[in-house]
């Protein structure tokens, strides 16, 4: 009987991904990333349509929800075998739910669209959890998706109640809900009696997740040019609108280089050699959210510049053109510091310089401001580094220019 129980327990883990075999990204995961681009494009359009602070805060809450869907799915395909039809069905179901969320984004804080957004967000998490705990019946790791499922049921109350409330109350409840989702994820989804997921349960594969982050971010950068070209229209080729789209191209190149060069290639090693790989991978998720928020801001600003490069620049428009690069630099500096214990000084210094330059650019046209931001980012990206990394602090943080 004991041997039979052992065999049954081994078979109950059939859905789990092998820790020894190759952990390459599947084609289905690349398809899933296209759904993320649809959502980010919708968010950029939403942001550029209304530059009010309340509207911007709403957009950031929606972005956080979209990003959490991507994050949980990335961990799902890292823990469970994406070559299995059941796991593929889970990913496709989440992709469909994400599409419904994207369709509801524009008016998510108005009327029935809020119900659709919250319902799709909660539904995809609950369905995935139910499938996983059923597939893992009899396996010790069944508690991992069970904890996640219970927490999504709890925060789902906030999502659904908020969907039926007016805008300000909806923003407050949804903000609390997504903050709770991020927080309990960081602490391993703790629950009375069930405890919380251990470091071993949350162990992540550096090879797979590092590739997922890199590919996701590269695909995300395409959104910048896509949104700008959509606003381009059909002007004469030699025009300021053409110049605006060209600036977007060079801004995209600068973001790509700042993200990829330096320590990003060693992300897999940073995860695998960490005392708690799952925790480091999750912290990297939060840093990537900040960087993706910067990309959304850059895309929204690019759309405005491409649509009217010579118009009058309002304070809100100036703020968004400057905020995109600054937010990205802050996220990239945090990514290097937390994951690699490396302080790349040009990143925070560049963020401060670009922020301080904003008041001096009042009264300039959107195109000139965008050009100044692009030149600044290219300088940060391409000025050569000098000196070797030096350990300066008791946390042994490497500092480099």
């Amino acid at each position: 009987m004991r041997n039979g129980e052992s065999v049954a327990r081994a078979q109950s883990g059939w859905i789990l991904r092998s820790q020894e075999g190759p952990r390459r990204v599947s084609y289905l995961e690349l398809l899933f990333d296209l759904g993320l681009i649809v959502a980010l494009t919708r968010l950029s359009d939403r942001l550029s349509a209304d530059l009010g602070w309340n509207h911007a805060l709403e957009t950031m809450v929606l972005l956080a929800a979209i990003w959490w869907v991507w994050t949980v799915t990335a961990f799902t395909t890292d823990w469970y075998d994406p070559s299995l039809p059941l796991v593929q069905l889970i990913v496709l179901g989440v992709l469909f739910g994400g599409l419904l969320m994207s369709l509801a984004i524009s008016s998510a804080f108005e009327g029935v669209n809020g119900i659709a957004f919250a319902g799709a967000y909660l539904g995809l998490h609950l369905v995935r959890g139910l499938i996983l705990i059923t597939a893992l019946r009899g396996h010790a790791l069944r508690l991992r998706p069970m904890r996640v499922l219970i927490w999504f049921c709890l925060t789902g109350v906030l999502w659904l109640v908020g969907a039926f409330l007016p805008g300000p109350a909806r923003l407050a409840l949804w903000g609390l809900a997504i903050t709770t989702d991020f927080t309990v994820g960081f602490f391993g989804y703790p629950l009375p009696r069930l405890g919380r997921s251990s470091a071993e349960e949350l162990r992540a594969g550096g090879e797979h997740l590092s590739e997922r982050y890199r590919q996701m971010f590269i695909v995300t950068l395409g959104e910048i040019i896509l949104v700008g070209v959509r606003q381009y229209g059909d002007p004469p080729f030699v025009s300021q609108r053409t110049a605006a789209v060209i600036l977007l191209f060079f801004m995209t190149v600068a973001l790509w280089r700042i993200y990829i060069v330096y320590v990003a290639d060693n992300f897999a090693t940073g995860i695998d050699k960490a005392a708690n790989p799952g925790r480091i991978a999750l912290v990297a998720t939060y840093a990537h959210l900040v960087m993706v928020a910067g990309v959304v801001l850059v895309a929204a600003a690019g759309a405005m510049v491409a649509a009217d490069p010579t118009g009058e620049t309002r304070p809100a428009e100036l703020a968004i053109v400057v905020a995109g690069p600054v937010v990205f630099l802050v996220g990239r500096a945090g990514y290097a510091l937390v994951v690699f214990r490396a302080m790349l000084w040009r990143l925070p210094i560049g963020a401060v310089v670009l922020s301080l330059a904003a008041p001096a650019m009042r009264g300039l046209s959107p195109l000139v401001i965008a050009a100044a931001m692009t030149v600044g980012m290219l300088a940060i990206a391409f000025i050569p580094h000098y000196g070797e990394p030096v350990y300066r602090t008791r946390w042994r943080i490497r500092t480099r220019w």
Side-chain angles (χ1 to χ4, degrees):
M1 287 296 292
R2 289 184 178 179
N3 291 337
E5 290 176 0
S6 299
V7 172
R9 284 183 175 274
Q11 291 176 340
S12 68
W14 60 273
I15 196 174
L16 297 172
R17 190 166 190 166
S18 172
Q19 297 293 324
E20 288 75 27
R23 303 173 70 85
R24 303 189 63 179
V25 174
S26 66
Y27 293 118
L28 181 58
E29 291 172 272
L30 298 179
L31 174 64
F32 183 80
D33 286 349
L34 296 181
L36 176 66
I37 299 307
V38 172
L40 295 181
T41 302
R42 297 278 289 171
L43 286 168
S44 297
D45 290 343
R46 185 182 194 279
L47 184 59
S48 59
D50 184 349
L51 299 181
W53 290 109
N54 190 69
H55 195 78
L57 185 57
E58 292 174 353
T59 303
M60 291 302 106
V61 169
L62 298 176
L63 170 61
I66 292 292
W67 182 247
W68 199 236
V69 170
W70 185 92
T71 297
V72 177
T73 305
F75 274 81
T76 298
T77 53
D78 188 71
W79 290 335
Y80 307 102
D81 189 351
S83 67
L84 297 176
L86 182 60
V87 178
Q88 294 174 355
L89 180 63
I90 291 174
V91 174
L92 289 174
V94 174
L95 178 59
F96 178 71
L99 175 62
L100 297 181
M101 292 172 65
S102 299
L103 295 177
I105 276 177
S106 295
S107 303
F109 284 86
E110 302 171 10
V112 70
N113 278 27
I115 301 174
F117 185 90
Y121 176 83
L122 180 59
L124 64 88
H125 286 305
L126 296 187
V127 171
R128 176 183 52 230
L130 289 171
I131 292 175
L132 290 176
I133 63 175
T134 301
L136 288 170
R137 181 180 300 151
H139 197 280
L141 283 177
R142 191 187 191 202
L143 283 177
R144 181 174 62 190
M146 186 176 295
R147 295 186 188 99
V148 176
L149 177 63
I150 292 173
W151 268 110
F152 275 124
C153 288
L154 295 175
T155 60
V157 175
L158 298 176
W159 284 102
L160 291 180
V161 171
F164 290 92
L165 296 178
R170 184 178 303 182
L171 176 59
L173 284 184
W174 284 6
L176 176 60
I178 194 60
T179 301
T180 304
D181 284 340
F182 275 65
T183 303
V184 298
F186 181 79
F187 289 105
Y189 295 96
L191 284 168
R193 303 188 69 175
L194 292 181
R196 67 179 185 175
S197 297
S198 65
E200 186 60 32
E201 289 177 335
L202 297 176
R203 177 170 290 278
E207 176 188 1
H208 174 256
L209 280 182
S210 63
E211 192 67 19
R212 289 295 291 123
Y213 282 116
R214 284 197 295 266
Q215 291 181 350
M216 172 279 304
F217 192 79
I218 295 302
V219 173
T220 299
L221 289 178
E223 186 232 350
I224 297 176
I225 299 177
L226 173 64
V227 172
V229 170
R230 286 174 54 208
Q231 296 294 329
Y232 179 69
D234 189 24
F237 183 78
V238 181
S239 64
Q240 293 186 340
R241 283 193 173 187
T242 301
V245 175
I246 292 174
L247 285 175
L248 281 178
F249 169 80
F250 284 107
M251 175 63 80
T252 303
V253 171
L255 296 177
W256 162 79
R257 181 170 173 82
I258 293 171
Y259 177 80
I260 291 297
V261 177
Y262 319 137
V263 293
D265 287 339
N266 299 317
F267 186 26
T269 303
I271 293 177
D272 290 334
K273 291 190 175 182
N276 190 334
R279 179 71 57 81
I280 287 295
L282 199 56
V283 170
T285 289
Y286 303 152
H288 276 79
L289 172 59
V290 179
M291 288 187 279
V292 170
V295 171
V296 170
L297 289 167
V298 169
M304 292 187 303
V305 176
D308 187 11
T310 60
E312 180 183 356
T313 305
R314 295 175 296 164
E317 293 173 339
L318 172 61
I320 195 172
V321 173
V322 175
V326 169
V327 170
F328 171 79
L329 291 174
V330 170
R332 183 62 179 84
Y335 172 48
L337 181 62
V338 174
V339 178
F340 305 102
R341 298 296 187 269
M343 173 52 73
L344 303 176
W345 286 108
R346 64 173 61 199
L347 303 181
I349 291 176
V352 171
V353 171
L354 293 180
S355 299
L356 294 177
M361 291 187 287
R362 290 179 179 176
L364 299 178
S365 69
L367 185 63
V368 173
I369 298 172
M373 291 294 106
T374 302
V375 170
M377 292 295 285
L378 288 171
I380 295 171
F382 286 97
I383 290 178
H385 288 267
Y386 67 88
E388 293 296 323
V390 178
Y391 293 96
R392 296 182 182 274
T393 74
R394 59 194 179 102
W395 296 284
R396 298 183 65 79
I397 296 175
R398 294 178 296 163
T399 61
R400 188 176 183 182
W401 290 95

